[in-house]
């Protein structure tokens, strides 16, 4: 019997999404998305996902979250990439200009809007835009490799089409500052970010005291993690904060960003997760969506700069979990895929879908250690936010 479309999950993907390319020396290399999709295909993951094409956002759609002046400047610089405008973050080391920048960025935003539409209308039960997750872009400024904020575009689409309670969960090593800023005054959108401490990592925001603007107190939740936090600490923090808040808020849909730059091998960050810990985080978000939203879940990619050893494996796991047929971590990476990596990048590829780690943690309920930086951070977040949502931070 053929499975109804509404019971299936989708990946919004188009080869043109890899045109978002800052150049060969930039850490955000589009090959990470190409290798992810090839690995997922060879492992059979895409057999359980409908591939849906992407369409670019219109300027009016982008203007729902970005200023018209900023969009106009992106358009102009996209056509004339020899000029720069550091005042809006374009033409900098982080965000170099490239021809077609507007088109590539608006296509990624359109892919996240399409993922939102597919799930909200019930056409698919889950959807993912693995090329998305550009969470640093601000209303009038590019930031942190992000030109247009596709996540915010997707959330705005949901609000415009009737959603009244949305939870956004960001597990990137960097604070989800752009998405938080765009909805900081909106109590309908609860943003949750677990990230490396702003004391040690860009963008320098995401303290536990950032809780939402007046009238929307409790709509922003931040868990800053000490550098060196590994699987056990990360998962302890997540489960000490996120499930209780999501259950209490009661969203209609969950939108998530899954930057995998929290990995121990990532060259830009200082967290120490394994692929196995990251996989456990994806399962935790999925389980919350199944429990609280009836399974309505939109996932995106994000950061991740170990483009061979980490990103393809992490996001192939994410794609498989979205599909409902998660991969066995012990499975070998396909020989043909490893040969392709060697040809493209001149380096060996990982042989298995696991780092050989066990994603276990000590639950918060078993005790709080005030001598631990991690536990102090968790406790600070619970103390700041739990009472605003009617929760007791002590339990």
């Amino acid at each position: 019997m053929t499975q109804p479309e509404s019971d299936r999950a989708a990946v919004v993907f188009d080869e043109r999404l890899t045109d978002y390319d800052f150049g060969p020396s930039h850490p955000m290399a589009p090959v990470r998305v190409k290798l992810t999709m090839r690995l997922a295909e060879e492992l059979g993951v895409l057999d359980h996902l409908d591939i849906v094409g992407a369409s670019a956002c219109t300027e009016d759609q982008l203007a729902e979250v970005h200023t018209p002046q900023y969009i106009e400047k992106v358009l102009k610089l996209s056509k004339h990439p020899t000029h720069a405008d550091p005042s809006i973050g374009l033409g900098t080391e982080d965000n170099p200009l490239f021809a077609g920048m507007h088109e590539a960025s608006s296509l990624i935003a359109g892919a996240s809007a399409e993922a939102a539409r597919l799930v909200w209308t019930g056409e698919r039960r889950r959807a993912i835009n693995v090329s998305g997750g550009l969470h640093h872009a601000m209303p009038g400024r590019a930031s942190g490799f992000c030109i247009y904020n596709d996540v915010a575009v997707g959330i705005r689409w949901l609000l415009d089409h009737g959603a009244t309670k949305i939870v956004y969960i960001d597990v990137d090593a960097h604070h989800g500052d752009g998405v938080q800023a765009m909805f900081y005054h909106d109590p309908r959108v609860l943003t949750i970010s677990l990230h490396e401490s702003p004391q040690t990592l860009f963008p320098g925001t995401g303290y536990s005291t950032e809780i939402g603007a007046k009238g929307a107190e409790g709509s922003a939740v931040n868990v800053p993690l000490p550098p060196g936090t590994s699987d056990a600490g990360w998962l302890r923090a997540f489960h000490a904060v996120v499930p209780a808040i999501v259950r209490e808020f009661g969203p209609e849909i969950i939108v998530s960003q899954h930057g995998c730059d929290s990995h121990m091998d990532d060259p830009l960050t200082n967290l120490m997760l394994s692929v196995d810990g990251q996989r456990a985080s994806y399962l935790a978000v999925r389980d919350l969506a199944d429990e609280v939203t009836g399974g309505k879940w939109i996932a995106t990619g994000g950061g991740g700069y170990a483009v061979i050893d980490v990103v393809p494996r992490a996001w192939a796991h994410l794609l498989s979990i979205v599909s409902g047929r998660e991969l066995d971590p012990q499975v070998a990476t396909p020989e043909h895929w490893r040969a392709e990596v060697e040809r493209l990048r001149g380096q060996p590829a990982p042989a298995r879908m696991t780092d050989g780690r066990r994603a276990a943690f000590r639950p918060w309920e078993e005790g709080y250690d005030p001598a631990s930086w991690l536990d102090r951070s968790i406790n600070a977040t619970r103390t700041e936010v739990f009472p605003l949502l009617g929760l007791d931070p002590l339990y």
Side-chain angles (χ1 to χ4, degrees), residues 224-308:
L225 304 168
T229 297
S230 60
D231 294 342
W234 196 100
L235 292 166
R236 175 172 168 82
F238 181 96
H239 288 282
V241 173
V242 180
I245 285 176
V246 172
R247 291 174 186 134
E248 185 63 28
F249 186 73
E252 300 150 309
I253 193 164
I254 289 176
V255 179
S256 55
Q257 196 268 21
H258 296 276
C260 54
D261 48 5
S262 57
H263 194 275
M264 66 185 86
D265 291 339
D266 195 275
L268 301 188
T269 72
N270 307 293
L271 298 181
M272 295 294 289
L273 274 69
S274 67
V275 164
D276 305 281
Q278 292 174 331
R279 177 179 180 273
S281 78
Y282 309 155
L283 290 168
V285 174
R286 181 208 61 189
D287 290 348
L288 272 177
D290 286 348
E291 174 189 345
V292 180
T293 71
K296 288 186 179 296
W297 176 30
I298 300 154
T300 65
Y305 311 103
V307 299
I308 300 303

Side-chain angles (χ1 to χ4, degrees), residues 144-161:
F145 314 159
C146 306
I147 309 300
Y148 293 140
N149 196 316
D150 66 286
V151 180
V153 168
I155 292 172
R156 178 56 62 188
W157 189 98
L158 292 169
L159 293 170
D160 289 346
H161 289 81

Side-chain angles (χ1 to χ4, degrees), residues 65-377:
V65 299
H66 293 288
T67 67
Q69 297 83 359
Y70 175 65
I71 298 167
E72 182 181 352
K73 287 182 178 180
V74 174
L75 275 161
K76 185 178 295 184
L77 293 170
S78 185
K79 293 174 183 174
H80 304 283
T82 55
H83 304 291
D85 191 344
S87 71
I88 57 167
L90 289 173
T92 64
E93 185 178 356
D94 276 1
N95 307 304
L97 302 176
F98 61 95
M101 177 176 61
H102 167 79
E103 290 75 14
S105 304
S106 59
L107 187 66
I108 289 176
S112 287
E114 176 63 6
R117 188 194 68 79
L118 287 168
V119 177
W120 186 248
T121 61
E123 288 188 30
R124 299 293 189 280
R125 61 193 179 94
R126 301 177 188 140
I128 177 170
N129 172 19
V130 75
S131 63
L134 306 181
H135 60 167
H136 293 307
M138 293 291 179
R141 176 169 52 87
S143 178
F145 314 159
C146 306
I147 309 300
Y148 293 140
N149 196 316
D150 66 286
V151 180
V153 168
I155 292 172
R156 178 56 62 188
W157 189 98
L158 292 169
L159 293 170
D160 289 346
H161 289 81
T164 60
K165 282 193 171 186
I166 300 166
V167 161
Y168 169 66
I169 301 173
D170 189 316
V171 306
D172 196 288
H174 300 85
H175 178 226
D177 58 336
V179 181
Q180 175 180 288
M182 289 178 176
F183 300 104
Y184 205 61
H185 294 79
D186 194 334
R188 298 173 298 173
V189 181
L190 174 63
T191 63
I192 304 171
S193 180
L194 292 88
H195 47 268
E196 185 179 330
S197 171
Q199 297 175 53
T200 58
L201 191 67
F202 173 90
T205 57
Y207 289 93
S208 59
T209 51
E210 297 170 33
I211 58 171
K214 186 176 181 180
E217 295 91 346
S219 67
V221 179
N222 288 288
V223 189
L225 304 168
T229 297
S230 60
D231 294 342
W234 196 100
L235 292 166
R236 175 172 168 82
F238 181 96
H239 288 282
V241 173
V242 180
I245 285 176
V246 172
R247 291 174 186 134
E248 185 63 28
F249 186 73
E252 300 150 309
I253 193 164
I254 289 176
V255 179
S256 55
Q257 196 268 21
H258 296 276
C260 54
D261 48 5
S262 57
H263 194 275
M264 66 185 86
D265 291 339
D266 195 275
L268 301 188
T269 72
N270 307 293
L271 298 181
M272 295 294 289
L273 274 69
S274 67
V275 164
D276 305 281
Q278 292 174 331
R279 177 179 180 273
S281 78
Y282 309 155
L283 290 168
V285 174
R286 181 208 61 189
D287 290 348
L288 272 177
D290 286 348
E291 174 189 345
V292 180
T293 71
K296 288 186 179 296
W297 176 30
I298 300 154
T300 65
Y305 311 103
V307 299
I308 300 303
D309 292 337
V310 178
V311 181
R313 290 188 299 152
W315 285 353
H317 278 302
L318 177 61
L319 285 159
S320 76
I321 290 164
V322 170
S323 80
R325 304 283 189 90
E326 59 258 32
L327 289 167
D328 181 348
Q330 299 299 327
V331 73
T333 55
E335 184 177 348
H336 182 268
W337 180 81
R338 294 198 300 271
E340 180 73 355
V341 169
E342 184 97 33
R343 183 184 70 81
L344 285 174
R345 305 291 289 191
Q347 65 184 82
R352 294 199 170 272
M353 292 296 290
T354 178
D355 284 335
R357 301 297 178 93
R358 182 170 160 266
F361 66 97
R362 187 170 69 91
W364 185 254
E365 293 76 16
E366 292 185 4
Y368 158 53
D369 179 5
S372 160
W373 182 357
L374 173 70
D375 277 13
R376 291 197 303 272
S377 293

